[in-house]
Amino acid sequence: MGERKSGKQPAKKPVQKTGVTLSDIAKAMGLSAMTVSRAFTGSEQISEKTKQEVLKTAKELGYVPNRWARSLVTRRSSIIGVLIPEISHTYFAEVTCGVEEIVDKTGFDLLLCHSRGDAEKERAEIHMLIGTRADGLIIASVQDSKTERPFTELEDAGIPFVLVDRFFPNRRFSSVLVDDLEVGEIATNHLIDMGHRLIAHIQGPPVTPAVLRRRGYLTAMKAHGLPVDKDWMIGKDFSNQNGYVSMRKLLQLKPRPTAVFAANDPLAIGAVRACREAGFRVPEDISVVGAGSIEGDHNPNPFLTTVWWPNQEMGRAAAELLMKAIADSDGGETHIRTFAPKLLVRHSSGPAPAK
C-alpha cells in the first residue's frame, strides 16, 4: 500500500509585496507617513536633510510614486495633453518632437492623442484629457473656423491650452501659427513668375490654414489680373486621396490648368500621382506646388516644390507658451506667435508649357 498523505498542508510563503508605499518608507526610517509625504511634496515644514534622506531611502526600496494619488493632493498631474489630427503625418510628428523637447526639461510628461481628423472625436479626446487632470493642452484642432465652443469651455474651466496652426476669427486664443495667407501667396506667385496663367487650387477642409491658403491663392491671382474659374478650386480635405481625385477632375477641364497649388504636401503628392497615371509629365506638362515640406531635409533629392515653415520650432514655442500659462496662477495673457513661411523650389514646378 502506498503512503498515506498527511492532511497537514505546508505553510504558505508570505506574499511578497510588489509595490513599495509611503508607509513602507516611513517604517524603514522610523518616521510618520505624513512626514514622508510632506518630504515628497517639498513642504517647507520638512528640513532639506530629511527630504534628501527620504529620497535616498525611497530609491533604495524601489519606490515608484503614484501619480494619480499625488494629483489628488497637489491638484497637478504633471501631464501635458497633446492632441493632433494625424499621428503619421510628418508635420505633426515634428511639432510633437518640439513640444517634447521643452516639456522634458520641466518634469512634465506628454499624453499624445490622435483625433484622426474627426471633429467629434477631437472633442471626446479633450474631455478625456480633462478627466485625467492634464495640467494643460496643446491642440492642432480640426474644428471648423466657426466652432470655437470646445475652447471657450476650456477657458471657462480655467484649463490652459495653446492651439497649433489653428485660430478662430471670432475669438482670441493663445496660438502658434504659420502665416498661411503668405503660404498661399508665395506658392501662387512662384507659379505666376514661371509664366503660368491657368493655375488651379486643390483646397483643404474649412479650417483656418486651408481657408487662408485659399485666400492667398486668390489674392495673388487678383494682383496679377488673372481669372479664376470656380471649377479650378476643388477639394474637401487634406488627404492624399483628395489630391488624387481632385487632380483627375482638373485634368478633364478645358482649358486644362497648367499648374496647381495644393493646400498641403499630401494633396500635392496625390495630384502628381494622378498626373502621371494620366500620362502627363510633372513639371513639363503640369507644375505642382504643395505646402509643408514633408519630404524634409533627410531626403537627399526631394522632388516636390513646396512652402516650408519651422515645425519643431513651432512645437517648442507652443510648449513654452503653455508652460508659462500653467505657471501663471491667473491663467496668464493670451499670446499669439506667427512664423514666416519660405518657398523651396525643387523639381515639381517649371516654366509654363509652350502653347
Side-chain angles (χ1 to χ4, degrees):
M1 293 179 63
E3 293 182 0
R4 295 182 63 182
K5 294 183 179 179
S6 170
K8 188 177 180 181
Q9 297 296 322
K12 291 183 178 180
K13 293 181 179 180
V15 177
Q16 183 72 28
K17 292 180 70 174
T18 57
V20 178
T21 66
L22 293 181
S23 296
D24 295 329
I25 299 171
K27 185 176 180 180
M29 298 183 68
L31 300 173
S32 70
M34 179 61 74
T35 298
V36 173
S37 177
R38 286 173 175 168
F40 273 109
T41 57
S43 172
E44 294 180 356
Q45 296 176 313
I46 308 301
S47 70
E48 188 61 34
K49 179 183 177 183
T50 299
K51 289 177 185 177
Q52 294 304 317
E53 288 175 349
V54 167
L55 292 175
K56 180 174 180 288
T57 302
K59 184 176 181 180
E60 290 172 351
L61 294 176
Y63 172 70
V64 177
N66 185 322
R67 176 190 298 278
W68 307 115
R70 185 179 178 187
S71 71
L72 293 173
V73 177
T74 65
R75 297 187 179 276
R76 287 283 178 89
S77 65
S78 297
I79 288 178
I80 300 300
V82 178
L83 179 51
I84 58 176
E86 181 52 65
I87 202 166
S88 62
H89 195 302
T90 304
Y91 167 57
F92 296 113
E94 291 181 357
V95 167
T96 303
C97 284
V99 171
E100 186 178 31
E101 183 180 326
I102 298 300
V103 170
D104 274 355
K105 299 175 182 177
T106 66
F108 283 70
D109 292 320
L110 289 188
L111 180 55
L112 181 62
C113 299
H114 177 204
S115 70
R116 298 187 180 92
D118 185 308
E120 185 175 345
K121 180 172 173 56
E122 176 185 295
R123 292 191 290 271
E125 296 286 1
I126 289 173
H127 288 141
M128 181 277 292
L129 289 166
I130 294 172
T132 63
R133 296 176 176 265
D135 293 317
L137 308 180
I138 294 174
I139 305 170
S141 178
V142 296
Q143 308 297 320
D144 69 58
S145 57
K146 296 180 180 178
T147 307
E148 67 269 7
R149 183 176 175 181
F151 308 107
T152 58
E153 290 176 349
L154 286 174
E155 275 193 333
D156 292 343
I159 299 172
F161 68 94
V162 176
L163 300 178
V164 175
D165 201 22
R166 303 290 190 270
F167 82 96
F168 294 86
N170 298 325
R171 291 295 296 262
R172 181 180 170 89
F173 302 121
S174 288
S175 307
V176 174
L177 305 169
V178 179
D179 187 341
D180 286 302
L181 185 67
E182 181 70 7
V183 170
E185 287 187 28
I186 63 177
T188 308
N189 281 329
H190 166 66
L191 293 169
I192 293 171
D193 291 343
M194 299 294 284
H196 294 276
R197 297 297 177 264
L198 305 178
I199 304 171
H201 175 51
I202 301 179
Q203 58 196 7
V207 294
T208 46
V211 170
L212 290 174
R213 291 170 201 176
R214 178 177 181 271
R215 190 180 300 170
Y217 157 78
L218 291 170
T219 299
M221 294 291 281
K222 183 178 180 180
H224 290 83
L226 299 176
V228 177
D229 190 302
K230 62 180 179 63
D231 293 332
W232 293 358
M233 293 183 293
I234 187 172
K236 61 179 182 178
D237 59 47
F238 277 139
S239 69
N240 181 288
Q241 184 64 17
N242 181 38
Y244 174 79
V245 171
S246 298
M247 191 71 231
R248 286 182 59 126
K249 292 178 180 178
L250 291 172
L251 293 175
Q252 304 302 314
L253 297 179
K254 296 188 183 301
R256 173 179 53 77
T258 64
V260 172
F261 161 50
N264 74 350
D265 281 358
L267 288 172
I269 291 169
V272 171
R273 178 164 62 97
C275 289
R276 289 175 173 172
E277 283 188 6
F280 292 97
R281 299 168 300 166
V282 178
E284 291 83 359
D285 300 319
I286 301 177
S287 288
V288 178
V289 176
S293 188
I294 64 172
E295 290 180 283
D297 297 334
H298 59 275
N299 191 322
N301 188 29
F303 173 75
L304 193 65
T305 295
T306 188
V307 181
W308 170 91
W309 51 84
N311 300 337
Q312 288 200 34
E313 189 175 346
M314 288 179 64
R316 288 192 288 269
E320 287 168 353
L321 288 181
L322 183 63
M323 299 315 297
K324 184 177 187 303
I326 291 171
D328 292 341
S329 58
D330 61 354
E333 299 179 359
T334 298
H335 296 279
I336 296 176
R337 285 196 60 184
T338 303
F339 290 82
K342 181 175 70 174
L343 181 71
L344 300 179
V345 180
R346 293 168 176 166
H347 305 296
S348 67
S349 61
K355 294 182 179 179

